Amino acid sequence: MSGFFRYNDDDTVDPYATPDVYYGPENINSGGRNSPIHRIRALSLSSRINLDDFKGPTGYAIKRRGSEDDSITSSKGTRKLLIEDVDEMLEKLLKNEDTDNNFQITIEDKGPKVLKIGTANSEGYKFVNIRGTYMLSNLLQELTIAKKFGRKQIVLDEARLNENPVDRLRRLIETEFWKSLTRRIDETSIREIAYDDKFVASKAKIPRIYVPYNCQDQYEYYIEVSKNNPSLLLDVEYLPKDITPEYVESLNDVPGLLTLAMQKHTDPVEGKETMIGWKYAVPGGRFNELYGWDSYFMTLGLLENNKVDVARGMVENFIFEIEHYGKILNANRSYYLCRSQPPFLTDMALKVFHKIGEDANPDAIDFLRRAFDAAIKEYKSVWTSSPRYDAETGLSCYHPNGLGIPPETESNHFDSILLPYALKHNVSIEELKVLYNEQKIKEPELDEFFLHDRGVRESGHDTTYRFENVCAYLATIDLNSLLYKYETDISFVIKKYFGDSHVDYEGVVTTSQDWTLAAEERSKRINKYLWNEEEGMYFDYNVKTKQRSTYESATTFWPLWAKLCTPDQAESLVTKALPKFEMFGGLVSTTEKSRGEISAIRLVRQWDYPFGWAPHQILAWEGFKNYSYNKVARRLAYRWLYIITKVFVDYNGAVVEKYDVTSEIDPHKVEAEYGNQGSDFKGVATEGFGWVNASYILGLKCMTRHAKRALDSCISPTSFFSHLSSTERASFNV
């Protein structure tokens, strides 16, 4: 085999090899593939310039290298670098360059920012200088990967170290990050996935899985897994048929994973039938479960990168959740059983449907029917039923039921809220938590606080001053835009694919016209209660106080994505609303004016100014394009892609959960509750962050060639836009 692949210890090809990183032998003094002859052959075969082809005895096309002049090729980055001792080079690199000792090489390190490495062509006797934060951090990443695979010696392209940042990040997302974020629940992975590091209690450390009462095949499967793996100590439990808030609260001391959809599978070797889980992607960082709205945005990126099996798996898992848990869950852990998330299933299913053959594929039609059966059930039983539906306005709210204190938060997360009540009852905060959760202490004000807190978590926007102490009573523009999209999608699918008639889970028959009328009615009510003509934007509406909110949120652009706006409303959103939210690095979540002053007792919230999030960017881009404001979308996308690229280049390949879109220097440094997921790694980032990965792939679709080159050079939006020609400026609407 040629040097284009990594070797495993048994001489098989390593399936996780990264193209163009060439791994030489581990011991040049031994025989076989580690002999001096094999070493020369591996080095020669790894170079793809000036080659003559001939067939070797194995039948593989073997390449023989001609002469190479380093003076000619050095400027083109085509040299091969020889790392004779990976561990030694890694130690030297960190010692010289990682001056803050965080196992990353960033612009904040004060090292010399240059390292000599021998060239493979000279057998290590001639050296080249690897200079600058970006190349050195890329070297650190490649060495870390080599060490992970047990390589003692490697040969790699210099071009890999100075690879264009846009190409490098795009490649990593497609070939590495999605793979690292992909999971499935079955015997192969249950040990790692069932573990939940959000809890410290001893009972919570036991791997535990809860199975729906009517999934006997899954229950028997996991019992068998437990018997076959006694060291796993897997606890397998049935859920009751009726899952009440009281029952969910009772599980807080014994939290567990909730099963997802599985497929029957016949082992091709033994011929034995077993079950395997459908694939799904997790957000990254501390979030190791199937999350609700995260999955929609990741699906967009996965489909763009042709990871169709993972995207379909997430839809299959959501169908399963609606059937067995009554809703698409915040995430598949026991403590999320009462909570849903922003609903995106219809659009998600349609996009997968288009990728798997549409109506030319009977399996795709079956998939679409099952997905829309589930979406209609969710629409009726969750979003247009009590307590989430407000009959007077005809609009819906994030209003989950539930009891007690959300258990998945940090232990001291609510201490400032609970302290006055602990003092009132003359108990410690920890004692108060127990007494309150067991309903031995009654505090209506605390009940109200946690009602809204659960609503915030269901909204996906946890946390923001927009929702504080009011969320469950808000008919939000985001939720009602999504439900309008459900109604129009359902109407479209019933008419085009279901013969214009559908029988739902209750036996109710509807046609496309029924759903069109529902969408039209919701549109009227949104315009009545949520649209502010003077401000030219949408706001939330408090169904209890019967007043429209004045809190300015980037979700005001979601109606553009749902195609809910009139052309005049879209123009108002562009001319009046957009200037309030467009910042240096993209759209900010809320305006500074609405957020208000920050102090020692009024802390920064992560879904408020100055932070930007991938979901808001993606939906706004698509929304503006829906109304032919493509140039506006391109401008906003450049801003967002720039800060992602800049952090990637300056901070060792980091891709994080959220960004400070007002910061030009280090936008990933976020001081808010929960910190910033995706930046805590050693040597190499292997996941990025799910919806940011997707936003990068999608944003690049908006870019011109000139814009991509500017991103490669990390040219700031301010400089880039100001130096465009008049024609180019028009293409960004600047």
Side-chain angles (χ1 to χ4, degrees), residues 397-399 452-453 455-456 459 467-476:
C397 307
Y398 292 114
H399 192 132
H452 297 303
D453 182 82
V456 172
S459 77
F467 287 157
E468 187 163 84
N469 295 321
V470 73
C471 184
Y473 302 145
L474 288 182
T476 68

Side-chain angles (χ1 to χ4, degrees), residues 199-349:
F199 290 82
V200 296
S202 58
K203 289 183 179 180
K205 296 302 180 184
I206 298 173
R208 183 177 294 107
I209 190 161
Y210 288 101
V211 182
Y213 78 98
N214 55 351
C215 289
Q216 183 179 351
D217 54 349
Q218 286 201 11
Y219 183 81
E220 292 174 351
Y221 170 82
Y222 285 112
I223 288 292
E224 187 70 16
V225 168
S226 181
K227 289 179 179 178
N228 292 340
N229 302 272
S231 64
L232 179 60
L233 302 176
L234 180 64
D235 183 14
V236 185
E237 301 284 350
Y238 265 131
L239 290 170
K241 181 177 181 180
D242 296 319
I243 301 173
T244 65
E246 290 78 10
Y247 172 75
V248 175
E249 197 280 328
S250 74
L251 299 182
N252 287 348
D253 289 333
V254 284
L257 190 70
L258 302 174
T259 62
L260 295 174
M262 302 188 79
Q263 308 171 71
K264 300 285 187 181
H265 174 72
T266 301
D267 188 303
V269 177
E270 298 182 2
K272 180 182 178 182
E273 186 176 79
T274 185
M275 301 176 74
I276 61 173
W278 281 94
K279 292 181 180 178
Y280 61 95
V282 299
R286 69 194 285 262
F287 306 112
N288 197 34
E289 304 88 16
L290 174 70
Y291 278 82
W293 71 320
D294 295 71
S295 296
Y296 171 73
F297 297 100
M298 288 189 288
T299 290
L300 301 180
L302 287 161
L303 291 176
E304 194 65 32
N305 288 147
N306 294 312
K307 313 293 184 185
V308 181
D309 57 335
V310 186
R312 176 174 180 169
M314 292 197 285
V315 176
E316 295 286 357
N317 284 319
F318 286 158
I319 294 170
F320 181 90
E321 286 190 343
I322 292 170
E323 179 181 355
H324 296 288
Y325 305 127
K327 60 181 72 67
I328 292 177
L329 300 171
N330 187 165
N332 64 312
R333 297 280 184 185
S334 57
Y335 41 84
Y336 293 132
L337 276 164
C338 291
R339 257 184 265 157
S340 189
Q341 286 252 283
F344 284 92
L345 179 57
T346 57
D347 194 67
M348 191 175 174

Side-chain angles (χ1 to χ4, degrees), residues 51-216:
L51 303 175
D52 298 318
D53 294 357
F54 68 95
K55 289 285 185 179
T58 61
Y60 292 100
I62 298 178
K63 306 286 187 178
R64 182 176 62 211
R65 188 172 79 184
S67 62
E68 174 180 338
D69 184 348
D70 277 352
S71 66
I72 294 175
T73 61
S74 61
S75 63
K76 300 179 182 179
T78 57
R79 293 173 295 195
K80 303 291 184 274
L81 306 177
L82 174 62
I83 312 296
E84 297 198 76
D85 189 319
V86 168
D87 289 340
E88 181 181 285
M89 181 61 71
L90 188 56
E91 182 180 356
K92 180 180 179 181
L93 177 62
L94 290 170
K95 181 179 179 181
N96 290 353
E97 302 293 345
D98 180 25
T99 58
D100 57 7
N101 299 313
N102 67 347
F103 295 93
Q104 297 178 19
I105 296 174
T106 75
I107 58 171
E108 296 177 357
D109 287 305
K110 307 302 182 184
K113 296 295 171 75
V114 60
L115 188 72
K116 291 184 181 297
I117 299 182
T119 63
N121 192 46
S122 69
E123 301 292 330
Y125 289 103
K126 292 183 179 180
F127 293 87
V128 296
N129 289 321
I130 305 302
R131 296 181 181 276
T133 297
Y134 179 62
M135 290 187 70
L136 289 167
S137 69
N138 287 346
L139 175 61
L140 174 61
Q141 294 168 50
E142 302 297 347
L143 291 172
T144 302
I145 293 169
K147 184 177 177 67
K148 175 183 176 182
F149 281 94
R151 303 301 96 182
K152 302 300 182 184
Q153 181 185 83
I154 66 172
V155 177
L156 58 89
D157 269 331
E158 181 185 10
R160 178 53 60 89
L161 304 184
N162 59 21
E163 183 179 11
N164 286 339
V166 170
D167 289 341
R168 182 176 179 86
L169 179 51
R170 176 168 46 193
R171 175 178 60 78
L172 289 174
I173 290 170
E174 182 174 358
T175 63
E176 301 296 332
F177 290 0
W178 290 133
K179 181 170 60 180
S180 296
L181 292 171
T182 298
R183 308 281 189 275
R184 74 180 197 210
I185 304 177
D186 52 35
E187 184 172 12
T188 63
S189 60
I190 188 66
R191 182 189 300 273
E192 293 79 16
I193 296 178
Y195 178 76
D196 191 352
D197 62 3
K198 301 184 193 72
F199 290 82
V200 296
S202 58
K203 289 183 179 180
K205 296 302 180 184
I206 298 173
R208 183 177 294 107
I209 190 161
Y210 288 101
V211 182
Y213 78 98
N214 55 351
C215 289
Q216 183 179 351

Side-chain angles (χ1 to χ4, degrees), residues 105 142 212 431 577 643 678 682 697 733:
I105 296 174
E142 302 297 347
E431 289 171 328
I643 60 172
K682 293 184 178 181
I697 296 300
N733 197 33

Side-chain angles (χ1 to χ4, degrees), residues 65 109 299 343 376 416 423 460 606 732:
R65 188 172 79 184
D109 287 305
T299 290
I376 290 169
S416 61
L423 295 173
Q606 64 174 0
F732 288 87

